[in-house]
Amino acid sequence: MTVSKRETERKYEPSSSGIEGLPDLTGAGPVASVTAAGPEELDAVYHDTADLRLAGSSATLRRRTGGPDAGWHLKLPLTGDTREEVRAPLSDEVPDALRELLLSRTRGAALRPVTRVRSTRAVRHLWDADGAPLAEVSLDEVRADSLLPGGGRAEWREVEVELADGVGAGLLDTLEKKLRKKGIVRSDSPSKFVRALRETGAAAEGTRTRAATAPGSPGSYVLAYLEEQVAALVALDPAARRELPDGVHRMRVACRRLRSCLRSYRSVLDRRVTDPVRAELKWLAGELGVERDQEVLRERLGAGIDDLPGELVLGPVAARLRAWEVSRGEDSRTRTRAALASDRYLRLLDALDGLLAEPPLRGKATGKPARTMGGAVLKEYDRLAGRMERALALPPGPDRDVALHQARKAAKKVRYAAEVARPVLGKPVRRLGKRAKAVQRLLGDHQDAVVAQEALRELAVAAHAAGETAFTWGVLHGQERARARAREEELPAVWREASDPALRT
């Protein structure tokens, strides 16, 4: 069993006067009082792979004894000074639940003890006027021993400021002003583990490297974008496994961005190498998409029922929708879990790493950035224009629905190609990306309405077969049909704005 929390903290280099050198923080912002606690003796053994894959991705895994939170702690980076900490009870081996959350980083490589960090901690608790906790300020006397070949020992002192749950991050800036006046400055190490690795001189085995490309070249921009999206894919894996809000969706978007970049910039990267990777990304996005599509559909249908006047809701509508969701939702979650647990997924992550380490660069990778990047964006735009022209020429009906869905996919590709080119082409490509996004959103709402109609018909048939009235499902079906038609009527004006010739200059 695991529990998780978010922690927001900063680390500092203390002055030479130890705990007595910490300033009195009473009166700093909402701090009304300060109390002392400790000392505590903490003993943590950090685990990582032989090539320190966790450290390389800003994650840490430790087994800690001493203090009020003894156990296994997995810390995953979020944004700024905030990390998510997932805890598991104390045991001799790495808990399976934590090992699974690290698969995208370890790729199944063995985890082993790499560093032991012992700390003697003196603590100051900060309270507001109502006696509610605001933050904890601690001074740690640290002793680190490397458990890797060739590693040594290091000692240092550090100040750590960690906010209490629910306290705004602005308090960190307020406290930092007081600390700086005492000569206590921000540490350049994000964690004890990273500092221990550096100061003990530990050497990783087979540390991964990235390919070097000429700064400012098309190849450098494309690879930088790919690296960003690969990192996002890896980082979002634990959220998707734990079914956290938007985790699966954001992971699927990273897959789409990667696929789109590899397609749009074939003049930079050889498709003979990248096409097999694109195929695997399509597979993964498809597996993740089942759960996300079901989630979106459930929310849409539920909102539709909630918005109906009571006199139009006839029969056990809510109960039938819940049963339908349970039957379909569990299947979609099973597919997501199976995909993330598969060797195929891990091979894909390795292939993406290999692509970054040894990119199959083509001649235009070192060409003129504006010409190469602009050409790729305009090629995707021309494809979108062709699909829009075909879709708008069709009469309303199933064929047009399919054509509009294909145009929506093309609009996404324009957006993603524009994202890659933004550092080179600036405002013009940013405007083009925004207009393509407007087209995509409208077509997305149209597609959601089309899919909802199919689901509502299925629910109506099931209700009728069970002897229930299908009236409410028919009302909702009519509303979704009207929404789809409304989006089609809005489309020509939105497309005219997106196809403004000035956006191509």
Side-chain angles (χ1 to χ4, degrees):
M1 178 181 178
T2 63
V3 295
S4 66
K5 59 168 288 190
R6 292 193 172 192
E7 63 174 27
T8 302
E9 66 178 25
R10 289 179 186 170
K11 296 185 182 296
Y12 298 88
E13 300 287 346
S15 61
S16 58
S17 51
I19 193 69
E20 294 78 13
L22 291 178
D24 181 4
L25 297 172
T26 305
V31 179
S33 62
V34 179
T35 59
E40 298 173 349
E41 296 294 333
L42 309 175
D43 191 342
V45 176
Y46 288 85
H47 290 61
D48 206 330
T49 62
D51 55 1
L52 302 179
R53 297 180 186 185
L54 301 189
S57 64
S58 302
T60 62
L61 174 66
R62 71 187 181 199
R63 181 187 185 276
R64 191 164 81 178
T65 57
D69 60 349
W72 287 91
H73 303 164
L74 168 60
K75 297 193 178 188
L76 301 169
L78 295 175
T79 58
D81 300 307
T82 302
R83 295 183 294 179
E84 182 174 18
E85 181 175 277
V86 185
R87 298 178 181 176
L90 201 62
S91 61
D92 292 337
E93 301 295 329
V94 177
D96 289 340
L98 299 187
R99 195 186 301 274
E100 181 182 346
L101 293 180
L102 288 169
L103 263 180
S104 66
R105 291 171 162 89
T106 65
R107 316 290 162 80
L111 289 164
R112 68 184 195 186
V114 295
T115 303
R116 183 183 184 187
V117 175
R118 288 167 288 179
S119 306
T120 301
R121 170 169 290 181
V123 182
R124 298 287 184 268
H125 295 288
L126 312 186
W127 312 88
D128 68 12
D130 297 324
L134 291 171
E136 180 180 287
V137 181
S138 60
L139 176 67
D140 292 345
E141 303 280 350
V142 184
R143 305 169 303 284
D145 292 283
S146 173
L147 306 179
L148 292 173
R153 168 172 291 188
E155 297 183 0
W156 70 88
R157 299 159 70 220
E158 70 179 33
V159 172
E160 182 178 290
V161 181
E162 181 177 346
L163 298 182
D165 292 345
V167 176
L171 180 58
L172 284 176
D173 295 330
T174 300
L175 299 176
E176 187 167 303
K177 291 179 182 178
K178 285 264 190 177
L179 295 174
R180 282 204 307 263
K181 289 180 180 179
K182 280 285 189 176
I184 301 172
V185 298
R186 191 90 67 93
S187 172
D188 61 358
S189 295
S191 69
K192 288 184 175 66
F193 179 45
V194 170
R195 183 164 183 172
L197 290 174
R198 184 180 71 235
E199 298 203 4
T200 60
E205 300 173 14
T207 303
R208 300 178 181 188
T209 59
R210 295 295 193 218
T213 53
S217 66
S220 69
Y221 291 114
V222 170
L223 290 176
Y225 185 84
L226 290 174
E227 185 163 7
E228 178 184 333
Q229 297 309 316
V230 171
L233 192 65
V234 169
L236 288 165
D237 174 288
R241 291 178 187 276
R242 297 165 62 208
E243 300 178 14
L244 297 184
D246 241 16
V248 170
H249 170 59
R250 292 169 63 202
M251 194 173 181
R252 185 187 185 190
V253 169
C255 288
R256 285 174 169 170
R257 283 189 161 108
L258 285 164
R259 285 188 67 224
S260 181
C261 180
L262 293 175
R263 172 197 169 97
S264 299
Y265 292 93
R266 287 170 173 169
S267 63
V268 175
L269 297 174
D270 190 337
R271 65 178 298 177
R272 290 174 297 180
V273 176
T274 61
D275 277 1
V277 177
R278 287 188 65 248
E280 291 303 283
L281 286 166
K282 182 178 182 180
W283 161 77
L284 179 59
E287 296 303 294
L288 298 175
V290 175
E291 181 172 352
R292 173 59 180 174
D293 290 345
Q294 178 65 18
E295 178 186 349
V296 170
L297 184 56
R298 180 191 70 240
E299 292 174 354
R300 189 179 184 99
L301 299 185
I305 293 171
D306 292 342
D307 290 342
L308 284 179
E311 63 269 19
L312 297 183
V313 181
L314 304 181
V317 173
R320 177 154 297 282
L321 181 61
R322 282 196 298 271
W324 175 82
E325 159 57 20
V326 168
S327 65
R328 295 178 54 134
E330 184 54 37
D331 288 344
S332 64
R333 286 187 287 274
T334 298
R335 285 185 63 172
T336 296
R337 289 193 292 265
L340 296 181
S342 68
D343 290 339
R344 183 176 182 178
Y345 168 60
L346 297 183
R347 288 195 299 270
L348 168 58
L349 294 179
D350 283 340
L352 289 167
D353 269 354
L355 191 65
L356 293 170
E358 298 181 17
L361 298 174
R362 300 185 65 193
K364 288 190 177 180
T366 57
K368 295 181 178 180
R371 178 178 297 177
T372 299
M373 313 293 278
V377 174
L378 289 178
K379 187 174 182 179
E380 294 296 353
Y381 175 83
D382 290 340
R383 182 178 289 109
L384 167 61
R387 290 189 180 183
M388 286 295 301
E389 183 179 350
R390 287 192 294 274
L392 292 174
L394 292 170
D399 289 344
R400 179 186 248 202
D401 292 340
V402 172
L404 290 175
H405 184 44
Q406 294 302 315
R408 177 196 180 196
K409 293 180 180 179
K412 284 184 181 180
K413 290 181 174 65
V414 173
R415 276 186 57 209
Y416 297 150
E419 285 179 356
V420 184
R422 195 177 299 165
V424 178
L425 301 178
K427 289 183 179 180
V429 79
R430 185 180 295 114
R431 289 198 301 270
L432 180 59
K434 286 182 178 179
R435 301 292 173 84
K437 186 174 183 178
V439 173
Q440 176 199 325
R441 283 182 170 175
L442 187 146
L443 292 176
D445 193 38
H446 177 272
Q447 175 66 10
D448 289 346
V450 170
V451 173
Q453 289 175 63
E454 296 172 359
L456 288 164
R457 185 181 183 282
E458 177 184 325
L459 284 161
V461 169
H464 179 75
E468 304 163 7
T469 176
F471 173 81
T472 300
W473 305 115
V475 171
L476 292 172
H477 187 281
Q479 289 182 342
E480 292 293 355
R481 185 181 180 88
R483 285 194 184 99
R485 290 290 178 84
R487 299 295 87 78
E488 290 184 46
E489 291 172 1
E490 294 172 31
L491 181 59
V494 175
W495 173 238
R496 279 196 300 273
E497 188 174 9
S499 57
D500 183 350
L503 291 171
R504 297 172 60 94
T505 60

